[in-house]
């Protein structure tokens, strides 16, 4: 009996000890583990938004509001607009890009009547610039700017209807030369969808290379590229800086650009010589497949397409029995999608 009593007392004590340990564990929790590695800090930011711009009227809590209405062809008037923030107040603080706070690009939707102007910001937060639309039609205006607090440049676009006798023009055929006011500009290089490409534009006058180009917007040339069909706005970067000791003032002006897709693009080169800014225009055809979606590599995308095609033949079942969501090429368990 005494032995049983002792065993009972021991069992009770053991239960109490284990119960206390469990309670403490519930309160204190498991022993600390090594702190997870801090996530890698992303680069501060690119100077410009990625991909084509100008397709949206609103982005990153900003909205392009065109104030001027009743625009008529051939009449110069003050064109006014605002960049509004999410709370309806106008954005009034900007950071200069290419020596200007605001670049306003204007072009008709058939990619004619191109203008590149620099409005003035009023104390009321309204941008104003004298502007004449040479011909009637549907235009796209692009506000290219960087907020003072921004981490990259922004390009918003809005449509403007110009009344009058509208006569659309066909897109000029691709060409490597353009002439303007006695100057001939030759385009060299090509672009491949999704990849950085180099374009060289060489300026000549009366058959002789121009070697004394003048700085314009912090470079010896400024290039704008617009995609035919939707007027996607491409950011194009000039090589070198005037006065850096290595960038020659002509005849060659080198630019880097990335075309997001294949198709036709209209290029507009602004260059300054003998105190006058002139614009040479080209049509450039970009050939080749578009880059794979979702950041996939060429190899991974080719494999995903092959799996989806095989699944379509098998009634929506990929090799190994994975369902893809039907014969239209839905997603596999790897998350690939049926668009190419």
């Amino acid at each position: 009996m005494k032995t049983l009593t002792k065993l009972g007392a021991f069992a009770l004590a053991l239960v109490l000890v284990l119960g206390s340990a469990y309670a403490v564990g519930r309160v204190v929790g498991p022993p600390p583990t090594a702190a997870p590695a801090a996530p890698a800090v992303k680069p501060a930011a690119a100077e410009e938004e990625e991909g084509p711009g100008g397709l949206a009227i609103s982005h990153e809590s900003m909205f392009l509001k065109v104030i001027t209405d009743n625009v008529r062809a051939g009449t110069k008037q003050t064109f006014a607009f605002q960049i509004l923030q999410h709370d309806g107040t106008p954005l009034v603080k900007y950071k200069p890009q290419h020596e200007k706070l605001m670049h306003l690009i204007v072009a008709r939707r058939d990619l004619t009547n191109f203008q590149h102007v620099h409005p003035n910001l009023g104390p009321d937060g309204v941008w104003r610039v004298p502007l004449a639309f040479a011909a009637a039609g549907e235009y796209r205006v692009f506000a290219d700017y960087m907020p003072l607090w921004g981490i990259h440049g922004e390009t918003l676009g809005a449509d403007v209807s110009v009344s009058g006798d509208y006569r659309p023009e066909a897109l000029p055929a691709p060409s490597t030369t353009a002439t303007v006011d006695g100057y001939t500009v030759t385009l060299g290089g090509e672009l491949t969808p999704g990849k950085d490409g180099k374009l060289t534009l060489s300026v000549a006058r009366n058959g002789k290379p121009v070697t004394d180009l003048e700085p314009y917007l912090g470079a010896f040339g400024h290039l704008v590229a617009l995609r035919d069909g939707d007027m996607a706005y491409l950011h194009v970067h000039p090589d070198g800086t005037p006065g850096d000791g290595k960038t020659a003032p002509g005849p060659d002006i080198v630019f880097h650009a990335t075309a997001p897709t294949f198709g036709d693009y209209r290029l507009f080169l602004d260059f300054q010589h003998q105190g006058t800014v002139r614009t040479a225009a080209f049509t450039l055809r970009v050939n080749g497949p578009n880059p794979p979606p979702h950041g996939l590599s060429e190899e991974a995308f080719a494999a995903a397409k092959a799996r989806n095609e095989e699944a379509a033949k098998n009634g929506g079942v990929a090799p190994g029995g994975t369902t893809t969501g039907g014969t239209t090429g839905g997603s596999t368990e790897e998350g690939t999608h049926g668009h190419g």
Side-chain angles (χ1 to χ4, degrees), residues 2-3 41 57-58 64 93 112 117 178 180 237 268 298:
K2 291 183 179 180
T3 301
V41 178
I57 197 171
S58 180
L64 171 57
K93 295 182 179 180
T112 62
V117 296
V180 53
H237 306 273
F268 301 92
E298 298 280 356

Side-chain angles (χ1 to χ4, degrees), residues 152-168:
H152 58 66
E154 183 70 68
T155 305
L156 300 179
D159 289 333
V160 174
S161 298
V162 178
S163 62
D165 183 15
Y166 176 38
R167 300 183 181 183

Side-chain angles (χ1 to χ4, degrees), residues 110-129:
D110 57 7
L111 299 179
T112 62
N113 296 286
F114 173 87
Q115 297 183 70
H116 178 176
V117 296
H118 304 106
N120 295 312
L121 180 61
D124 54 358
V126 176
W127 291 95
R128 297 177 175 89
V129 62

Side-chain angles (χ1 to χ4, degrees), residues 5-296:
T5 302
K6 289 180 179 180
L7 288 175
F10 175 78
L12 178 60
L14 183 60
V15 170
L16 292 175
V17 170
L18 292 177
S20 301
Y22 175 77
V24 171
R26 289 293 298 267
V27 174
V28 176
T33 59
V41 178
K42 295 183 179 179
E47 291 184 356
E48 295 171 341
E49 58 184 322
E50 294 183 0
L55 294 176
I57 197 171
S58 180
H59 188 240
E60 294 193 356
S61 296
M62 290 172 285
F63 178 86
L64 171 57
K65 178 184 178 181
V66 175
I67 298 175
T68 302
D69 55 10
N70 298 322
V71 181
R72 186 165 183 81
T75 302
K76 179 172 284 191
Q77 63 186 108
T78 298
F79 186 78
F81 64 95
Q82 288 177 304
I83 304 298
L84 297 180
Q85 302 177 99
H86 66 91
D87 59 0
T89 60
L91 181 68
V92 295
K93 295 182 179 180
Y94 297 81
K95 184 185 300 183
Q97 292 189 110
H98 305 293
E99 300 185 346
K100 299 293 182 179
L101 293 179
M102 176 68 69
H103 299 263
L104 185 70
I105 307 300
V106 181
R108 202 166 69 170
R109 278 202 166 269
D110 57 7
L111 299 179
T112 62
N113 296 286
F114 173 87
Q115 297 183 70
H116 178 176
V117 296
H118 304 106
N120 295 312
L121 180 61
D124 54 358
V126 176
W127 291 95
R128 297 177 175 89
V129 62
L131 197 61
F133 294 83
E138 293 298 317
Y139 285 74
R140 188 76 172 171
V141 295
F142 302 89
D144 187 343
Y145 64 95
M146 180 183 288
L148 185 63
W149 45 260
I151 58 176
H152 58 66
E154 183 70 68
T155 305
L156 300 179
D159 289 333
V160 174
S161 298
V162 178
S163 62
D165 183 15
Y166 176 38
R167 300 183 181 183
E169 298 182 24
L171 183 72
S175 175
T176 57
T177 60
T179 58
V180 53
D181 296 343
Y183 292 82
T184 300
V185 183
T186 304
L187 171 65
E190 60 183 22
L191 299 180
T192 302
K195 298 179 181 179
D196 179 69
K198 184 171 77 171
L199 300 174
T200 301
L201 292 106
S202 302
V203 184
R205 186 182 187 188
N206 299 324
K208 297 181 179 180
V210 175
T211 58
D212 58 344
L213 292 172
E214 298 159 357
Y216 175 62
L217 302 177
F220 288 121
H222 190 279
L223 187 64
V224 169
L226 301 174
R227 183 169 59 190
D228 181 40
D230 63 358
M231 301 188 75
Y233 180 97
L234 273 62
H235 293 288
V236 187
H237 306 273
D239 265 1
T241 303
D244 62 5
K246 57 183 179 181
T247 304
D252 295 343
I253 315 170
V254 178
F255 297 90
H256 290 268
T258 301
T261 65
F262 62 82
D264 289 334
Y265 293 78
R266 194 68 173 157
L267 309 183
F268 301 92
L269 171 70
D270 292 332
F271 65 94
Q272 181 168 295
H273 188 237
Q274 296 183 350
T276 301
V277 176
R278 297 172 173 85
T279 303
F282 302 82
T283 299
L284 174 67
R285 178 156 295 161
V286 176
N287 296 309
N290 291 341
H294 314 302
L296 294 174

